[in-house]
Amino acid sequence: MLRKKIEAAKELNQIMSDYYHELDHASKSKDKKVAWCSSVGPAEILRSLGFEVYFPENHSAMLGSSRMATDLIPYANAIGYSPEICSYLTADIGAYLKQITPLSKVYPDIKSVPKPDVLVFNTNQCREVQDWFGWFANEFKVPLVGISTPRTVDEVTNEHITFIAQQMENLVKPLEKISSNKFDIDIFKHIVALSRECSELWKKVLETAATMPSPLTFFDGTIHMGPAVVMRGTQQAVDYYKILLSELQERVKNHIGAVDGERFRLYWEGMPIWGRLRHYSELFASLKTCVVASTYCNSWIFKAFDEKNPFRSMAKAYTELFIVRSDEIKEKYLNEMIEFFKIDGIIFHDAKTCPHNTNSRYGMPQRLEKEIGVPNLVINGDLNDLRCLSDDQSRTSIEAFIEQLEES
Ligand code: SF4
């Protein structure tokens, strides 16, 4: 075993199983309403109104990691969704058209994704979530509501926050009607407080990787981020990250690295390649290289949540995200991460179907290298469509990149 196993994975599997079974139960019994939410959408409002909250992006990542996605994408292409656009969207619609789900592989009693009563998006990450959810709203004949966020934001101003907070407040009335529950500001504040606590713990988990050797890899992060994505705003997520954090702190105390004999420390910028997590994890570990941190896992750290000012703080938290920001702000952030995690090199993943989470196309790697002298490598691939990736080519480039680090 080249990468050390995290014991807390047992608890993780249990709470993820509970989460998906609760959704399945709500969908079948109709005793609770189900809301589909984009990954950085207003989950706290939905939870406070008693919805079970389902995240299609998490389902699409499962389609990727189970390597089902590549075969399903053509079914969405056949109804007019281009192979060039988001392969989360095309894989998810393809899976629905074929009536299959990776959930059934993990939980044989779950036969389908939960049926939505409403779909809720925020275009802070991309416009694709609106198109994707719009297709399902039409298919299930249920309402689609959402928030439009400006993109390429430089400083997040009071005007931005007012504009977005107002849209969030405007969601309450229609969602009250769909949920048949009355909005209670105290419940909402409590959920925002739980999201903040989850986010703070997740940040501490990721920051353990600043230690040398790092107790954690990016590949562990992509698995253990599950509760921060789909269960933020719940006590279960908070409890889980306390367990995970304590295991990682124990590793730090005992100088146990996730990768044996860590020689180099890399930063991963861009989407994971879900169908190749194990492949890359083992490749880097065999080169005694630890990918210690990533923008992707960091994206579920929301510093602004404040239960005293729930709508405005949520608006701020969901607009301060890396993906929403200008290149200038992104470069400043990456500079800080490189220094904090003591990074030797950056891997930029150019994901063919996600321009929004690809930052290597407008000269950013070159600017960063010039400014801080940290070398980089761009890998061409995709989050879900494995036809966009050449394993041999990326292996050769990674090995050459490590050799370059050895020589410098
Ligand atoms: S950010 Fe990229 S991967 Fe995520 S939904 Fe948007 S286009 Fe798809």
Side-chain angles (χ1 to χ4, degrees), residues 6 12 35 48 61 67 76 98 100 111 122 157 159 197 208 232 235 237 247 254 270 276 365 399:
I6 293 184
L12 175 71
S48 71
R67 287 182 290 281
K98 289 301 284 173
I100 54 174
K111 304 293 180 216
N122 187 339
T157 62
E159 286 73 24
E197 207 180 341
T208 61
R232 61 182 187 273
Q235 188 61 47
E247 182 177 342
N254 297 318
R276 287 287 183 271
E399 286 172 350

Side-chain angles (χ1 to χ4, degrees), residues 94-111:
Y96 176 81
L97 292 171
K98 289 301 284 173
Q99 291 292 296
I100 54 174
T101 168
L103 289 172
S104 301
K105 286 194 174 177
V106 193
Y107 316 113
D109 53 327
I110 298 182
K111 304 293 180 216

Side-chain angles (χ1 to χ4, degrees), residues 38-39 57 85-89 125-129 132 151 271 296 323 351 353-358 383:
S38 57
S39 66
E57 283 149 85
I85 64 159
C86 173
S87 58
Y88 268 177
L89 179 163
Q125 57 188 98
C126 59
R127 62 157 277 180
E128 280 79 347
V129 285
W132 176 2
R151 304 217 350 109
M271 293 295 288
Y296 188 72
I323 193 169
T353 70
C354 179
H356 314 285
N357 257 327
T358 296
L383 45 139

Side-chain angles (χ1 to χ4, degrees), residues 4 141 159 185 232 369:
K4 287 197 186 57
K141 308 274 176 289
E159 286 73 24
I185 189 74
R232 61 182 187 273
E369 186 157 354

Side-chain angles (χ1 to χ4, degrees), residues 111-183:
K111 304 293 180 216
S112 66
V113 296
K115 289 192 182 54
D117 294 289
V118 63
L119 297 102
V120 186
F121 63 85
N122 187 339
T123 60
N124 49 359
Q125 57 188 98
C126 59
R127 62 157 277 180
E128 280 79 347
V129 285
Q130 186 171 1
D131 291 275
W132 176 2
F133 284 23
W135 187 83
F136 277 105
N138 196 36
E139 182 65 22
F140 286 106
K141 308 274 176 289
V142 295
L144 170 72
V145 293
I147 296 154
S148 295
T149 297
R151 304 217 350 109
T152 337
V153 170
D154 208 43
E155 291 306 325
V156 177
T157 62
N158 268 329
E159 286 73 24
H160 288 123
I161 295 171
T162 303
F163 174 62
I164 293 153
Q166 189 59 57
Q167 293 185 64
M168 289 179 169
E169 290 198 50
N170 291 347
L171 289 179
V172 170
K173 273 233 161 347
L175 290 171
E176 269 185 329
K177 217 167 138 209
I178 298 163
S179 70
S180 312
N181 286 329
K182 190 103 198 81
F183 180 72

